[in-house]
Amino acid sequence: MKIMEEMQELFDFLNKLMESGEYARLKEELNSEQPANVAEYFEELTAEKQLFVFRLLTKDMAAEVFSYMDSDTQEHIVHSITDREVRNIVDEMFLDDTVDFLEEAPANLVKKILRNTDAETRKLINRFLNYPENSAGSLMTIEFVRLHSSMTVGNAMKQIKRTGTDKETIYTCYVIDDQRKLIGVVPLRTLICAADDNTIDELMQDDVVSVLTTDDQEEVANIFKKYNWMALPVTDTEGRLVGIITVDDIVDVIEQETTEDMEKMAALIPSDEEYLKTPVMVLAKNRIVWLSVLMISGTLSSFVIGHFNSLLEVAVVLSGFIPIITGTGGNAGSQASTMIIRGMALGEIEIRDALKVVWKEIRVGVLCGVALGLINILKMTLVNRDTGFWINFSVSLSMAAVVVLAKTIGCLLPILAKSLKLDPAMMAGPLISTVVDAVALVIYFSIATALVL
Amino acid sequence: MKIMEEMQELFDFLNKLMESGEYARLKEELNSEQPANVAEYFEELTAEKQLFVFRLLTKDMAAEVFSYMDSDTQEHIVHSITDREVRNIVDEMFLDDTVDFLEEAPANLVKKILRNTDAETRKLINRFLNYPENSAGSLMTIEFVRLHSSMTVGNAMKQIKRTGTDKETIYTCYVIDDQRKLIGVVPLRTLICAADDNTIDELMQDDVVSVLTTDDQEEVANIFKKYNWMALPVTDTEGRLVGIITVDDIVDVIEQETTEDMEKMAALIPSDEEYLKTPVMVLAKNRIVWLSVLMISGTLSSFVIGHFNSLLEVAVVLSGFIPIITGTGGNAGSQASTMIIRGMALGEIEIRDALKVVWKEIRVGVLCGVALGLINILKMTLVNRDTGFWINFSVSLSMAAVVVLAKTIGCLLPILAKSLKLDPAMMAGPLISTVVDAVALVIYFSIATALVL
């Protein structure tokens, strides 16, 4: 909140400078502001003003601000500026930011970018664009510090001093041999605290954890979470160092992976795009598949009820408690499955814990079931005055049994999915509810048949 | 997976060394391994062997490994070692790691730690323990580089070289005035690339974004996500610099906040503890509250059905489609609410977007509703042969209407919650389903009354 208000103040101030024509002052303010804030300011501007403001930025600043912009604004800018200006931005930007833009951009803008890069960069960009989506290769940056093991600390520091401003990070340095193979890592902190005539060889750690360009980003994120590192080297299959991944990119990966999990858990086909920018047709498509699968599976419940039609004809009042029983069952099951799915995503629960988990859920289920059964019989006695004791008792007993069963199903299905190498996130609320519905109805009507008829 | 196998190999190797009594070799291997890996190894060991292995570690390594251990192992170690060993660990650990341990530890271990720290540290620890849970104060570290604006780069680098190994990070340095007020920030990269006789004053950025010790960790995480920084300074209400937060702690915060959201979305009272370590009674307690609230709200559905009892007595077959209609409505609503809740958590959707969102969901709802209605009438014609056309048509028409309505309710409730300053995550699947159930039944029975009776 505080931050949002401060941003509004900044925008108002910049707008005032623009309106009163104080362009020199505006230019000065823009170029001394945080690039991320200036990028946010662009979202407030009309297309015409965006271009005007963009041209007030210095070369460095323009490239930095560009890398923070949302893709719509980026596309508008690249579309409007001259080839020469494009060249300036691409020269200044880190390669991975350029690639991020190209991955989303329409063909004509990709062409405009590529014809304004030199042959060397174009080759690199093409290699990047070929890495599989969500792989370590597509995340990495190639602007990092490479050292040789025979260098002295003095020489290494001179090299870093000379080239440091063009690197994404200088704080972790990687050591390669003559075949460009990764052989060690040395934090800048170690170099700074060491004597100038030490060699890199003496200081580097040679037991380096690295990932392959083709490794999945989720695996990369897990390594960062475990070791609390700031950067991780990426090699090709021959062990040659080709890039590094920095922790700030991992923050985005974690958010993206969690969003994906949440979407799967709500029976949605996951999508990388922002909600407000996704067309209605795409949103509908991503939802219809699971909605129909679940609706058709729900036919099972119709069959169960159909089977007990004669019971319902005698005691139609029983049908009034169908939603409350299936609903509570679904909720109880989702609670269990959500905890298990999240626990597995965070690496806290493994397949080998299955028995422990089930035993835990059965006990939790009994506690919840008994509590809900008691609350329900109390509620029905007070509220549903036209039902008799046996109906109230049947509903409450069913409630208790359904909760225990729902908890068991809810914890089992995600574990089962994982052991079949499926994504456990699929086994969440919607699917659990559909499965539990049919089982719950069998329990409910069987108990009612025994007690009420 | 790959990582897990490599870890298993490492553990097997270490176990073999232990069994064959090659303790010198074991000691050497342990002390050259990644601290996070050694901490993981402890979880595989018996309590007795844990102590033995711990005593093979050097002072530095012992402290590092300790900070990566889970709390059970930490408690066992502190419980078993001598006061002198405790002193060694606490001396070497970063203060925030010590505090993290103390926050969870039982009273007798807290005492054992505190009697082995000097008065100065004890005072600091107590101040830390007083910061509200999940505040910036409870996240920050006090081991960072403080510079004065009048210093030259050469002097600053000498200071960093001398004290650098005791700091959590040296890569972002903070500039304070004589009252310890934060007046600037300078990345180490700038110092390294600058000439020795430059002053800090000339190089520092004086427009520093900082947070207060009492600010919520979620706000802190949002700042990191926006600016891609590695560290953020924390001040007291007078603007005095008291600590910094580093990005690796933010990764944990993001995971914790998302877990909380997911738990709320599944009608659970959120808890910080790992599933397998949470007692059954606590799990049950965290679930019963919402389960009973939702069950009691479900009474509304019973009333709706009760109201239409005369319809059901004539056409009991209609009751067979109650679960499929309420279920589909619930699923359609959860899909919408999940997208909105997540979009708001990521800052992509604001309250001011409400109209845009509703209009979008209505269109998505119509597309999904029509599709599901058509699929349903086809399915019922093929599968439910004993129902007539008008029943099939009523169910399908209701299905379509319910989906549109569920989407609208599903997107509206989270926005409403946010504008009432409640947590939107509450308005997810379970609550949406309960609300949609009653509405869906009214639609279904009204349509059936008109068409079937």
Side-chain angles (χ1 to χ4, degrees), chain B residues 61-238:
Chain B
M61 191 67 176
E64 272 221 73
V65 169
F66 185 83
S67 67
Y68 281 101
M69 286 175 182
D70 65 17
S71 53
D72 289 353
T73 315
Q74 285 181 329
E75 286 170 21
H76 167 66
I77 295 283
V78 174
H79 183 77
S80 317
I81 59 182
T82 65
D83 276 24
R84 191 202 159 91
E85 286 170 312
V86 169
R87 218 168 307 141
N88 281 340
I89 304 180
V90 177
D91 277 355
E92 291 293 325
M93 273 214 291
F94 288 120
L95 190 73
D96 58 334
D97 291 326
T98 311
V99 172
D100 283 348
F101 169 68
L102 291 175
E103 275 171 347
E104 305 289 326
N108 61 328
L109 298 185
V110 174
K111 264 189 220 150
K112 188 166 179 178
I113 296 275
L114 289 182
R115 79 165 173 260
N116 286 297
T117 47
D118 55 69
E120 174 78 7
T121 315
R122 208 153 46 230
K123 225 175 89 190
L124 278 172
I125 287 176
N126 278 321
R127 199 205 296 159
F128 261 77
L129 289 173
N130 277 326
Y131 290 123
E133 210 188 343
N134 300 337
S135 68
S138 75
L139 274 182
M140 71 186 186
T141 171
I142 53 163
E143 287 94 352
F144 60 94
V145 180
R146 293 168 188 79
L147 302 175
H148 281 276
S149 57
S150 55
M151 278 176 135
T152 62
V153 170
N155 284 336
M157 287 302 293
K158 258 183 233 153
Q159 183 194 317
I160 294 171
K161 207 166 171 143
R162 207 177 55 239
T163 61
T165 45
D166 295 332
K167 307 299 181 191
E168 180 142 339
T169 184
I170 61 167
Y171 301 134
T172 314
C173 306
Y174 295 93
V175 189
I176 51 175
D177 66 11
D178 294 338
Q179 280 81 48
R180 307 175 61 98
K181 286 206 175 132
L182 173 67
I183 55 170
V185 58
V186 56
L188 182 63
R189 185 203 296 248
T190 308
L191 296 181
I192 287 195
C193 299
D196 270 4
D197 54 355
N198 276 131
T199 62
I200 298 300
D201 198 32
E202 297 166 326
L203 298 171
M204 74 180 192
Q205 235 183 292
D206 53 9
D207 176 23
V208 199
V209 177
S210 64
V211 292
L212 293 173
T213 49
T214 47
D215 281 344
D216 189 78
Q217 61 177 9
E218 203 165 357
E219 200 174 314
V220 176
N222 287 336
I223 296 178
F224 271 96
K225 283 189 251 172
K226 175 169 169 190
Y227 295 103
N228 286 347
W229 282 331
M230 300 210 304
L232 189 66
V234 185
T235 67
D236 62 17
T237 45
E238 264 117 275

Side-chain angles (χ1 to χ4, degrees), chain A residues 2-3 7 34 36-37 40 68 157 161 164-165 167-171 187-189 192-194 205 207 215 223 225-230 247 251 254-255 258-259 262-263 266-268 274-276 278 280-281 283-284 287-288 291-292 294-295 298-299 301-303 305 309 312-313 316 319-324 328 331-332 335 338-340 342 346 348-349 353 357 360-361 363-364 367-368 371-372 375-376 379 383 399 407 430 441, chain B residues 2-3 7 34 36-37 40 68 157 161 164-165 167-171 187-189 192-194 205 207 215 223 225-227 229-230 247 251 254-255 258-259 262-263 266-268 274-276 278 280-281 283-284 287-288 291-292 294-295 298-299 301-303 305 309 312-313 316 319-324 328 331-332 335 338-340 342 346 348-349 353 357 360-361 363-364 367-368 371-372 375-376 379 383 399 407 430 441:
Chain A
K2 208 190 54 182
I3 297 289
M7 290 304 297
Q34 298 289 349
N37 292 346
E40 210 174 311
Y68 280 102
M157 287 302 293
K161 207 164 172 144
T165 44
K167 307 300 181 191
E168 179 142 340
T169 183
I170 61 167
Y171 301 134
L188 182 62
R189 185 202 296 248
I192 288 196
C193 299
Q205 234 182 292
D207 176 24
D215 281 344
I223 296 178
K225 282 189 254 173
K226 178 172 167 187
Y227 295 105
N228 285 347
W229 281 331
M230 299 212 303
V247 65
V251 169
I254 292 177
E255 299 253 290
T258 329
T259 304
M262 280 191 184
E263 289 176 346
L268 290 152
E274 277 191 28
Y275 174 82
L276 288 174
T278 316
V280 170
M281 278 302 292
L283 286 177
R287 298 182 189 185
I288 286 174
L291 278 185
S292 7
L294 294 170
M295 183 182 73
T299 309
S301 303
S302 309
F303 285 147
I305 300 181
N309 255 352
L312 284 176
E313 272 163 15
V316 75
S319 63
F321 303 98
I322 292 176
I324 218 169
T328 306
N331 291 337
Q335 287 182 330
T338 300
M339 294 215 73
I340 307 308
R342 186 63 182 158
L346 295 177
E348 295 168 0
I349 301 175
D353 300 317
V357 169
K360 200 155 202 166
E361 283 303 320
R363 283 175 297 162
V364 174
L367 284 173
C368 292
L372 287 176
I375 296 174
N376 187 63
K379 186 210 75 175
V383 177
M399 194 70 86
K407 294 278 181 208
L441 290 168
Chain B
K2 208 190 56 183
I3 297 289
M7 291 304 298
Q34 297 289 350
N37 293 346
E40 211 174 312
Y68 281 101
M157 287 302 293
K161 207 166 171 143
T165 45
K167 307 299 181 191
E168 180 142 339
T169 184
I170 61 167
Y171 301 134
L188 182 63
R189 185 203 296 248
I192 287 195
C193 299
Q205 235 183 292
D207 176 23
D215 281 344
I223 296 178
K225 283 189 251 172
K226 175 169 169 190
Y227 295 103
W229 282 331
M230 300 210 304
V247 64
V251 169
I254 292 176
E255 300 253 288
T258 330
T259 303
M262 281 191 183
E263 289 176 345
L268 290 153
E274 279 191 29
Y275 174 83
L276 288 174
T278 316
V280 169
M281 278 304 291
L283 286 176
R287 299 183 188 184
I288 286 175
L291 278 184
S292 8
L294 294 170
M295 184 182 72
T299 308
S301 303
S302 310
F303 285 147
I305 300 181
N309 254 353
L312 284 176
E313 272 163 17
V316 76
S319 63
F321 303 99
I322 292 176
I324 218 170
T328 307
N331 290 337
Q335 287 181 331
T338 300
M339 293 214 75
I340 306 308
R342 186 64 182 158
L346 294 177
E348 295 167 1
I349 300 174
D353 299 316
V357 169
K360 200 154 203 165
E361 282 305 319
R363 285 174 296 162
V364 174
L367 284 173
C368 293
L372 286 176
I375 297 173
N376 187 64
K379 185 210 76 176
V383 177
M399 193 71 86
K407 294 279 182 206
L441 291 168

